[in-house]
Amino acid sequence: MDYLYKRIYCKCGGLKNRGLQIHPNLGISMETRKRKKSENEKEQGAFFGLNQKEIEKGKKPAIVQSRSCPFYKKIPGTPFTVDAFRYGAIEGCSAYFLSHFHSDHYGGLGKRWCHGPIYCTSITARLLNICLSVNKRYICALELDKEYEVGGVKVMLIEANHCPGAALIHLRLRDGRTYLHTGDFRASKSMQSHPILLSYHVNVLYLDTTYCNPKYRFPSKEEVIDFVVRTTRKYLQKQPKTLIVVGAYSIGKERVYLAISQSLQNLNKYLQTLNQRFNAVLAFRPTGWTFSEATGSKLDMIKPTSRGSVTIFGVPYSEHSSFNELRDFVKFLRPEKIIPTVNVSSSGSRDKMQALFNNWLNS
């Protein structure tokens, strides 16, 4: 994932609050970042035909070797792929769909992309051009909730409740089959009232299974945001000169720091004392991986990590569906087939998920 050091400036009482920051190091632990970096280097090395010793020595690739695109990134019966840009030109693919602007999904895109049109939301389209310098001639922006025809297939993008610009991809083929690819998403009750999902039975569901494990039954976004805001207000009342820091991706987690920003609108007397001088730091690390079964939905039981004047809360705020939300979404759609798109590297993991799917669909 991409991380970006951000700072929020919000006008409060005629002053600019500079006490709220989004910090790159809080979204993911140092150990995890090192592991991901190592995995990425190995993956890139293998992609370029380097062996382990060459990778460790930092040898640069001389010849690019192509990789085959995984089946779960291809949509059968169509010339479409989803989030498959790192595989370059894919045989038989004439339309490349991008679910959202996170690097593990757009990897492979850049100013040299020339393999075919990229279909995505208007927000993602702007990010592709501004951040990655993708040539506009290859970017095809689609509005949410509007049906288009691409290569003889009816296509609609639906709000995914993930990061800005993220979309579910709904596809209706000429033969009557209907596919839904979730990309990354957080299932919500509102999705169950969407007209297109109510009108057409989904034959095949490509499902974001990031938290497809019974132990991940974390609270709703709203509950976690409320806890973060209450905690922020409490700490500022104790120490007005507190720097508020939120771990975030370059795109994502916006609701957390916007909620804090809005809360600070009512704390002008504290903001007026800041003037860029802080005596304490209050940080939030919002990710579903911080969820503890022992805490469950009792957020006030979360114990922060404190060192000197720095306090860090790990809060179970995620932009991926919790286990219960996945179950409810699947039971609502009742697809004929479910293809998991995350945690699919081992047969054991795939078998466990399929057992869960069968249980949901038969209950």
Side-chain angles (χ1 to χ4, degrees):
M1 293 290 187
D2 289 336
Y3 291 87
L4 179 67
Y5 187 77
K6 299 180 181 177
R7 192 178 195 120
I8 290 183
Y9 299 86
C10 41
K11 294 182 180 179
C12 300
L15 299 177
K16 287 186 177 180
N17 168 34
R18 304 193 178 199
L20 179 60
Q21 295 185 2
I22 291 75
H23 197 279
N25 295 330
L26 291 172
I28 190 168
S29 69
M30 179 65 73
E31 180 181 351
T32 303
R33 280 185 284 128
K34 287 181 178 178
R35 175 176 57 78
K36 286 183 175 290
K37 182 175 184 294
S38 175
E39 290 175 352
N40 288 338
E41 288 174 346
K42 290 178 182 178
E43 181 180 359
Q44 292 167 6
F47 173 70
F48 290 119
L50 302 182
N51 60 37
Q52 182 61 35
K53 289 184 178 180
E54 290 173 324
I55 296 171
E56 292 173 353
K57 290 180 180 179
K59 184 175 179 180
K60 301 298 182 182
I63 301 175
V64 175
Q65 298 182 353
S66 62
R67 295 185 297 174
S68 59
C69 176
F71 78 93
Y72 56 85
K73 291 183 177 289
K74 298 178 179 180
I75 306 298
T78 76
F80 302 163
T81 58
V82 177
D83 300 341
F85 304 97
R86 67 184 62 216
Y87 306 98
I90 298 172
E91 184 177 358
C93 180
S94 61
Y96 295 79
F97 283 80
L98 175 59
S99 63
H100 64 290
F101 195 77
H102 277 164
S103 62
D104 53 335
H105 293 257
Y106 68 65
L109 284 174
K111 62 182 178 181
R112 295 184 180 180
W113 177 265
C114 60
H115 304 308
I118 304 162
Y119 291 89
C120 58
T121 64
S122 57
I123 292 177
T124 301
R126 292 198 296 273
L127 290 167
L128 286 176
N129 181 248
I130 294 170
C131 301
L132 299 181
S133 300
V134 175
N135 193 320
K136 288 183 178 180
R137 65 180 292 191
Y138 292 107
I139 302 175
C140 302
L142 306 181
E143 296 179 26
L144 289 173
D145 301 327
K146 180 178 179 180
E147 195 164 66
Y148 297 81
E149 183 166 316
V150 180
V153 177
K154 300 290 186 181
V155 177
M156 181 182 286
L157 301 185
I158 303 169
E159 170 61 47
N161 193 28
H162 186 61
C163 69
L168 311 179
I169 303 169
H170 189 274
L171 306 167
R172 290 198 293 128
L173 281 60
R174 287 175 175 171
D175 63 8
R177 283 179 294 166
T178 298
Y179 295 159
L180 181 66
H181 196 298
T182 67
D184 284 353
F185 83 129
R186 180 137 191 194
S188 65
K189 291 293 184 182
S190 63
M191 292 178 183
Q192 297 184 23
S193 61
H194 195 285
I196 199 77
L197 297 182
L198 290 171
S199 300
Y200 299 97
H201 174 65
V202 173
N203 299 99
V204 181
L205 172 64
Y206 292 79
L207 185 65
D208 168 17
T209 46
T210 300
Y211 292 111
C212 190
N213 186 312
K215 70 179 181 179
Y216 293 115
R217 302 174 187 267
F218 41 75
S220 68
K221 283 184 175 182
E222 292 73 21
E223 291 175 286
V224 179
I225 287 175
D226 178 67
F227 169 77
V228 169
V229 169
R230 284 190 287 107
T231 302
T232 299
R233 293 174 66 89
K234 182 175 69 175
Y235 272 76
L236 285 174
Q237 287 170 359
K238 291 180 180 178
Q239 175 50 268
K241 294 184 178 182
T242 296
L243 174 66
I244 309 301
V245 181
V246 179
Y249 302 127
S250 57
I251 301 294
K253 314 295 186 185
E254 287 81 4
R255 295 186 188 184
V256 177
Y257 50 85
L258 287 176
I260 296 174
S261 174
Q262 291 168 1
S263 173
L264 295 181
Q265 299 287 344
N266 302 317
L267 297 172
N268 292 332
K269 63 181 180 181
Y270 296 110
L271 299 178
Q272 291 169 8
T273 68
L274 292 179
N275 193 27
Q276 287 287 288
R277 295 188 299 272
F278 306 103
N279 295 330
V281 175
L282 173 62
F284 296 97
R285 185 160 55 90
T287 170
W289 301 117
T290 67
F291 175 71
S292 166
E293 291 183 278
T295 301
S297 60
K298 299 176 181 178
L299 296 173
D300 289 323
M301 292 178 61
I302 295 176
K303 301 297 182 183
T305 299
S306 298
R307 182 176 298 175
S309 59
V310 177
T311 301
I312 301 176
F313 279 86
V315 293
Y317 179 92
S318 179
E319 290 174 330
H320 296 269
S321 307
S322 68
F323 179 80
N324 288 347
E325 290 164 343
L326 282 176
R327 178 199 61 203
D328 293 346
F329 188 71
V330 167
K331 294 180 76 169
F332 158 67
L333 288 179
R334 296 201 169 275
E336 295 171 10
K337 184 178 182 180
I338 301 175
I339 299 176
T341 61
V342 184
N343 300 324
V344 295
S345 58
S346 72
S347 59
S349 176
R350 294 193 298 270
D351 291 344
K352 287 180 180 179
M353 287 191 285
Q354 287 298 337
L356 288 170
F357 300 155
N358 293 335
N359 181 53
W360 296 344
L361 294 174
N362 293 326
S363 62

